[in-house]
Amino acid sequence: MNKWTRRSFITTGLLAGGGLMVGVALRPGNRAKGLAQHVTSEGETFVHTWVKLDANNVVTAIVPHAEMGQGVGTALTQMLADELNADWNLVKFEEAPAITPFANHPILKGMLPPGVEIPEIVVPTVDGLLMRTAQALNLQITGGSMSVRSTGVYGMRVAGAAVQEMLRLAAAEAWQVPLDQVVARNSQLIHEASSRTEPYSAFAAAASEMTPPSTPQLKTPEEFTIIGHHVERHDIPSKVDGTATFALDVRLPNMLYATVRRTPTFGGGIESLDDSKARALPGVVDVIRLPASKAEALVGNFTATESVAVVAEGYWPAKQGLDALKIVWSETANDYVSSASIFEQFDRDISAGVDREVDVAEGDFEATMANAAQVIEADYRAPYLAHTCMEPLNATAVVEDGRAEVWVGCQAPLPFRQAIADAMGFDAENVTLHNCFMGGGFGRKSRADYAIQAVQLAAKMGRPVQLIWTREEDVRQDFYRPAVQSRFRAGLDKDGNLTAWENTYVDKHEPVEAPLIPYTPLTASNIGYVSSPTHVPFGAWRSVDHSQHGFFTESFFDEVAVAAGQDPYEYRAARLADKPRQLAVLRKAAEAAGWGAPLGEGQGRGISFQECFGSIVAQVVEVTVLDGQTQVDRVVAAVDAGIAVSPDGLSAQIESGIIYGLTAALYGEITIENGAVKQSNFSDYEALRISAAPKIETHIINSGSAIGGAGEPGTPGVAPALANAIFDATGFRVRSLPINLIDLDYKVEDVVTPA
Amino acid sequence: MTVLTVNGVKQETSVDSSTPLLWVIREQLELTGTKFGCGIGQCGACTVRLNGTAIRSCLTPVAAADGQEIQTIEGLAPSDGALHSLQAAWIKHQVPQCGYCQSGQLMSAAALLESNPTPSDEDIDLAMEGNICRCGMYGRIKAAIKTAAKAGADNTADGTADALTIIATAKETADE
Ligand code: FES
Ligand code: FES
């Protein structure tokens, strides 16, 4: 447990008023060869976690992650407070401002072994990922379920332990007593023999003079009093009385409002614009054409085409103006692209197999298939998906004298600042970014396109501008979860054992291990991909590639179990036999769900297993399919995230991930027509509502392994568990999503065959 | 000129009378707790109460609210420093994730409990169906409504003790 502390670096300083400031930095570790040149030169330090102890004995953690609903501030603060032996009521958190010293370096560390158990097979490819991430440093990124795993473990706990140690030393010196008699408890320093008790703050100044310990003693899990215990989230009270400030709620004097429409066909442009009607509307101030924009950072990169904005005295006149615009869009090479043509292309490219890249190739696949007693094959498809964060994209900006000030909810403050600076030709130092609460992020708010538009408008107007996207724009100008197709072949021996597994899919993104299969043994396997690019912009969507591959792999594996004539749960369990941690999670979900218990009419039960972002999740779904109507009755999830720092927070994230994944499985489809997105709003891009929400039961296993992510691991497993349950209920195998497009009431006897 | 009573305070606005109430509340009155989510009556983020009834303010022209009583999230608590039993229950069940939908959820739930103090699961589904939560906190919303309903029922049955306890606990949390 102490190994990594060699790479930690702790620094202290004195605050005005006698407070203590402690920063924890990470220096390049010896694990990443060649990393140093990208991260720092020898002797440089990157302080990423700051802890402040003020004169009122209040400890403030300054957290380099954005709050998008996942409770990150609370979980990180718990880790600090526990090591510090602080009174929970005297611990606060602030989000770090978007300036370089707060850059989120541990996100890189978290990608390194052993923080993530990257399968042996793909380790060679990790270097590539690592290098790209290294180049992308100086970034604050909230994504990849990394906050608690990396910043929390490598920063918060070290900071807490170091501060506690320094305070005890300072007290021992001041009281002239042996160090081991000074106890730190509830933000107080105590020497029992002499009945002395003083608040931490009394020793802040003395502690700031000390050389911080290089290897502070961390607690063992048994010693935790706050980690793993229920605490209430600090941000919740402001979210029940309307006082939480989202970017949309920023109000500046003399502010104008704007809304925008970008070229609907991706890659297109504006042929002509007639804005006379819009300009004549009361309240409309200006109509502005905004140039295409792009960001070339390695994280959050994008290109976006031209757009037209209407600026007005309020959102409503701006929206009226937008609707009154007459825009002729230019013709593009993509005008005839449709979802159907895209999937035809995928099909062709998979069949052709040109330049197929291999993730895994073990054993002699074709020979094993030739010996198989049974062979099964299937194609699986997943559509494009939008993120539809509850809060439509928006940003507020003021531009004056070559400086920009921006209010936005975003997942990557530093890349946003850089992208804005690049778009405006400013130095990054001249861009101030205030990150607000995010009404959802899910990956969308890592691209700065909307913030750049707001800054461009504010520069043009010479007044503060709040740009608010319509929901229609939000649906049609996303960076979508990519559509994917997978082609599977599997071979079984005469006893029904899976011997050969092949998967060829289109286009690889991240994480690299998403298409892999956790089950062993296999005589031969071959997993690989072909390139089949489309013009549709894509980006990270909650759980990234796991969301499609989790559905594909866990559904097709279910087909294998059925082909073997075996119980899908037992079949999985037998093939996780050499992985006790994984097996325990699978067993927990199955037992808690009452696997095997009789079900009612039209009911079915399905199971899935998923390992991602350092956490393990198994889910059992119960479904009722009657008259073609699908009702998800119950989801039982078991999760092992190492140690649940905030158990209720982890449960909430799993519930949230399940509903997000269920919305996608049941209704989610972005359709491409004439090169553009067909859907527009919640009316045709539906979200799961309360009456369709299943009962969710989350069971947490604290295995004590490295801490895993919480925000994403709940999402991928629900679609396959549901699809497997539908098979159990109906005998129909769902191989493409969404489910509501499938006629589950189809019966062979309904088909009238002419005599 | 449109005259509204918002959270008990008389307000006048001269915006075009076809402007949806949502934008008057957010922009003219600067009460930003009420949110914009879809603009077409599909998501419920903009829910406020008009004479007690939950309405979608993104579809309601301000003219329709002329001379009427509007309640927004800022006016839900009975008094400064106190919480509505629903708000207390929302904290107890740690309902909000991102929190963006929650003003609308709470206003719909408040209208429900006022007309139906002991709602069944089906009643809750019906009343809350128009409020999307992209963070998927439906289970907690349902549980919190029941807690608040119970607090209300205990309140009428045997004094105010339980309801007040919840409020006091929640308040301490809020003060932290
Ligand atoms: S904003 Fe009114 S219902 Fe969505
Ligand atoms: S809490 Fe985020 S949308 Fe409901």
Side-chain angles (χ1 to χ4, degrees):
Chain A
M1 194 64 208
N2 271 330
K3 254 195 281 166
W4 49 266
T5 50
R6 284 186 287 114
R7 295 188 269 131
S8 308
F9 184 80
I10 303 167
T11 174
T12 57
L14 188 62
L15 284 174
L20 171 69
M21 189 82 176
V22 174
V24 178
L26 288 161
R27 293 191 287 189
N30 49 12
R31 286 176 187 283
K33 289 188 211 80
L35 185 61
Q37 69 195 80
H38 294 281
V39 180
T40 173
S41 53
E42 203 50 51
E44 260 187 286
T45 56
F46 287 91
V47 182
H48 69 94
T49 296
W50 295 93
V51 176
K52 197 165 75 178
L53 170 60
D54 70 18
N56 297 322
N57 210 24
V58 172
V59 175
T60 307
I62 300 162
V63 178
H65 293 283
E67 181 62 71
M68 48 186 170
Q70 77 281 43
V72 56
T74 304
L76 291 174
T77 309
Q78 275 178 276
M79 300 176 92
L80 170 79
D82 204 329
E83 293 290 354
L84 188 54
N85 287 344
D87 177 344
W88 177 246
N89 295 324
L90 295 177
V91 185
K92 312 252 175 254
F93 81 92
E94 279 170 22
E95 187 186 327
I99 53 172
T100 318
F102 293 102
N104 182 11
H105 297 287
I107 197 160
L108 172 70
K109 302 291 174 186
M111 287 181 180
L112 290 170
V116 182
E117 279 157 9
I118 298 171
E120 214 42 56
I121 317 159
V122 295
V123 166
T125 68
V126 173
D127 270 342
L129 177 67
L130 190 66
M131 294 311 286
R132 285 198 291 128
T133 316
Q135 289 162 4
L137 280 176
N138 278 348
L139 310 176
Q140 286 166 330
I141 308 152
T142 302
S145 302
M146 294 307 295
S147 315
V148 169
R149 299 160 65 187
S150 52
T151 301
V153 175
Y154 296 110
M156 286 294 156
R157 291 187 56 200
V158 181
V163 173
Q164 199 236 93
E165 214 164 301
M166 288 189 289
L167 290 168
R168 282 178 52 236
L169 268 170
E173 238 163 64
W175 292 338
Q176 291 295 308
V177 299
L179 177 62
D180 60 9
Q181 292 180 11
V182 180
V183 176
R185 192 190 304 137
N186 274 330
S187 297
Q188 306 283 331
L189 289 155
I190 302 158
H191 183 245
E192 283 186 354
S194 61
S195 307
R196 267 182 286 208
T197 300
E198 295 236 36
Y200 283 179
S201 51
F203 301 96
S208 73
E209 307 267 283
M210 291 182 172
T211 308
S214 57
T215 54
Q217 186 67 43
L218 297 184
K219 290 182 176 177
T220 61
E222 301 74 57
E223 294 171 311
F224 292 152
T225 55
I226 299 175
I227 294 175
H229 295 259
H230 179 65
V231 294
E232 291 191 334
R233 280 173 52 174
H234 288 305
D235 58 327
I236 282 187
S238 73
K239 290 175 175 178
V240 303
D241 65 6
T243 56
T245 305
F246 297 85
L248 193 80
D249 304 332
V250 170
R251 292 289 172 265
L252 300 175
N254 205 25
M255 187 171 83
L256 292 166
Y257 295 83
T259 192
V260 72
R261 180 164 299 149
R262 190 185 285 150
T263 331
T265 301
F266 307 115
I270 297 166
E271 180 81 36
S272 69
L273 168 69
D274 174 359
D275 60 12
S276 51
K277 283 230 171 65
R279 284 182 183 278
L281 289 171
V284 170
V285 177
D286 208 345
V287 177
I288 295 172
R289 275 174 77 153
L290 295 174
S293 66
K294 63 171 186 270
E296 275 159 351
L298 285 149
V299 169
N301 58 328
F302 68 87
T303 54
T305 47
E306 284 186 273
S307 47
V308 188
V310 179
V311 185
E313 298 294 345
Y315 171 83
W316 187 244
K319 169 77 165 64
Q320 303 291 102
L322 195 74
D323 292 342
L325 293 176
K326 288 208 182 79
I327 311 171
V328 179
W329 309 105
S330 54
E331 287 181 16
T332 81
N334 303 320
D335 285 353
Y336 299 100
V337 177
S338 66
S339 286
S341 75
I342 287 171
F343 278 107
E344 276 164 27
Q345 171 193 318
F346 289 169
D347 209 67
R348 253 195 334 267
D349 289 341
I350 289 176
S351 299
V354 177
D355 293 332
R356 184 177 183 275
E357 298 274 345
V358 168
D359 291 327
V360 182
E362 282 185 322
D364 187 337
F365 180 78
E366 293 303 338
T368 313
M369 287 295 276
N371 288 332
Q374 207 187 147
V375 167
I376 63 168
E377 302 180 348
D379 274 28
Y380 277 81
R381 290 183 182 83
Y384 290 104
L385 290 179
H387 297 80
T388 53
C389 304
M390 202 70 227
E391 180 186 16
L393 294 176
N394 67 88
T396 304
V398 191
V399 179
E400 258 166 17
D401 310 324
R403 302 181 63 87
E405 197 167 355
V406 190
W407 289 259
V408 66
C410 76
Q411 289 173 252
L414 284 169
F416 266 56
R417 191 176 69 146
Q418 192 60 54
I420 291 164
D422 290 349
M424 300 302 293
F426 294 171
D427 287 337
E429 290 67 53
N430 291 332
V431 177
T432 307
L433 188 140
H434 305 274
N435 206 14
C436 306
F437 277 132
M438 266 177 276
F442 311 129
R444 174 62 178 92
K445 292 176 183 169
S446 56
R447 309 295 170 111
D449 56 322
Y450 59 107
I452 291 172
Q453 288 176 330
V455 178
Q456 289 171 331
L457 288 171
K460 276 257 167 35
M461 299 309 299
R463 283 170 70 176
V465 175
Q466 178 163 92
L467 169 68
I468 306 171
W469 281 26
T470 62
R471 174 60 69 188
E472 289 75 11
E473 189 75 357
D474 183 271
V475 169
R476 289 179 173 157
Q477 298 293 339
D478 205 338
F479 294 92
Y480 301 89
R481 183 189 79 169
V484 186
Q485 178 167 343
S486 249
R487 179 161 302 159
F488 288 99
R489 287 198 293 161
L492 290 75
D493 68 15
K494 61 178 185 349
D495 301 320
N497 294 308
L498 174 64
T499 54
W501 175 274
E502 183 188 63
N503 175 4
T504 303
Y505 60 95
V506 291
D507 293 324
K508 183 174 192 66
H509 305 291
E510 283 169 18
V512 289
E513 67 272 20
L516 303 187
I517 169 170
Y519 305 108
T520 53
L522 276 172
T523 313
S525 66
N526 191 313
I527 299 174
Y529 57 99
V530 292
S531 165
S532 191
T534 75
H535 77 299
V536 181
F538 62 87
W541 186 96
R542 199 173 190 171
S543 82
V544 209
D545 279 7
H546 283 287
S547 81
Q548 305 99 329
H549 287 290
F551 166 61
F552 297 164
T553 301
E554 279 296 299
S555 298
F556 187 64
F557 190 80
D558 219 70
E559 294 201 49
V560 172
V562 170
Q566 294 182 32
D567 177 87
Y569 156 52
E570 294 299 347
Y571 198 75
R572 281 176 175 79
R575 280 152 190 82
L576 291 173
D578 61 346
K579 296 180 177 166
R581 189 180 162 210
Q582 284 75 356
L583 183 61
V585 177
L586 184 77
R587 290 229 182 278
K588 180 80 203 172
E591 281 159 18
W595 187 267
L599 291 164
E601 193 205 341
Q603 280 198 301
R605 198 182 271 126
I607 192 164
S608 75
F609 174 83
Q610 191 72 43
E611 187 166 354
C612 58
F613 306 101
S615 294
I616 302 169
V617 180
Q619 296 186 33
V620 174
V621 166
E622 285 174 18
V623 72
T624 303
V625 186
L626 275 180
D627 305 324
Q629 297 296 313
T630 306
Q631 170 69 45
V632 183
D633 302 317
R634 181 179 179 223
V635 180
V636 179
V639 54
D640 175 355
I643 299 160
V645 175
S646 183
D648 186 61
L650 176 59
S651 294
Q653 280 292 290
I654 296 294
E655 291 159 32
S656 173
I658 287 172
I659 298 288
Y660 202 74
L662 214 45
T663 287
L666 289 168
Y667 320 118
E669 185 185 37
I670 286 292
T671 318
I672 306 298
E673 256 181 25
N674 303 323
V677 167
K678 182 180 154 198
Q679 285 76 11
S680 61
N681 203 317
F682 289 120
S683 47
D684 52 8
Y685 190 75
E686 289 171 63
L688 190 95
R689 292 172 186 273
I690 196 167
S691 67
K695 196 164 169 294
I696 300 174
E697 300 158 36
T698 306
H699 300 270
I700 293 173
I701 296 176
N702 283 310
S703 64
S705 303
I707 292 179
E712 297 172 280
T715 301
V718 70
L722 172 58
N724 297 340
I726 288 174
F727 178 82
D728 188 43
T730 66
F732 182 89
R733 181 57 70 180
V734 174
R735 295 200 185 94
S736 70
L737 298 175
I739 288 163
N740 72 343
L741 291 184
I742 300 168
D743 180 7
L744 290 171
D745 203 21
Y746 170 86
K747 293 187 190 69
V748 180
E749 56 266 32
D750 291 347
V751 182
V752 185
T753 358
Chain B
M1 184 70 61
T2 312
V3 183
L4 319 164
T5 307
V6 180
N7 302 329
V9 181
K10 210 173 206 157
Q11 305 273 11
E12 289 181 359
T13 170
S14 56
V15 296
D16 184 278
S17 63
S18 68
T19 306
L21 180 59
L22 170 64
W23 303 106
V24 175
I25 291 172
R26 290 187 49 86
E27 295 174 2
Q28 270 71 45
L29 308 183
E30 296 202 0
L31 293 170
T32 55
T34 305
K35 304 303 188 201
F36 164 59
C38 69
I40 59 164
Q42 286 285 324
C43 76
C46 65
T47 307
V48 298
R49 294 171 71 191
L50 178 83
N51 302 329
T53 308
I55 59 151
R56 309 288 176 240
S57 65
C58 70
L59 288 184
T60 310
V62 66
D66 194 13
Q68 315 292 309
E69 297 266 351
I70 305 294
Q71 188 189 47
T72 70
I73 186 71
E74 289 87 350
L76 182 62
S79 62
D80 268 4
L83 289 176
H84 188 279
S85 61
L86 280 164
Q87 291 170 312
W90 247 239
I91 292 173
K92 178 166 187 277
H93 290 274
Q94 299 278 289
V95 175
Q97 283 280 303
C98 81
Y100 193 81
C101 72
Q102 298 298 345
S103 300
Q105 305 278 2
L106 281 157
M107 298 314 285
S108 289
L112 165 68
L113 287 194
E114 208 164 278
S115 63
N116 179 357
T118 53
S120 66
D121 278 6
E122 290 68 39
D123 296 337
I124 294 175
D125 280 354
L126 220 58
M128 305 301 292
E129 191 70 355
N131 290 83
I132 292 173
C133 176
R134 282 294 278 149
C135 297
M137 292 296 104
Y138 298 121
R140 289 172 188 247
I141 288 169
K142 209 173 256 188
I145 291 175
K146 287 181 183 169
T147 297
K150 184 161 185 311
D154 292 351
N155 202 350
T156 11
D158 52 45
T160 54
D162 276 12
L164 287 180
T165 314
I166 289 183
I167 291 169
T169 325
K171 170 106 172 44
E172 272 167 31
T173 318
D175 288 344
E176 268 172 20

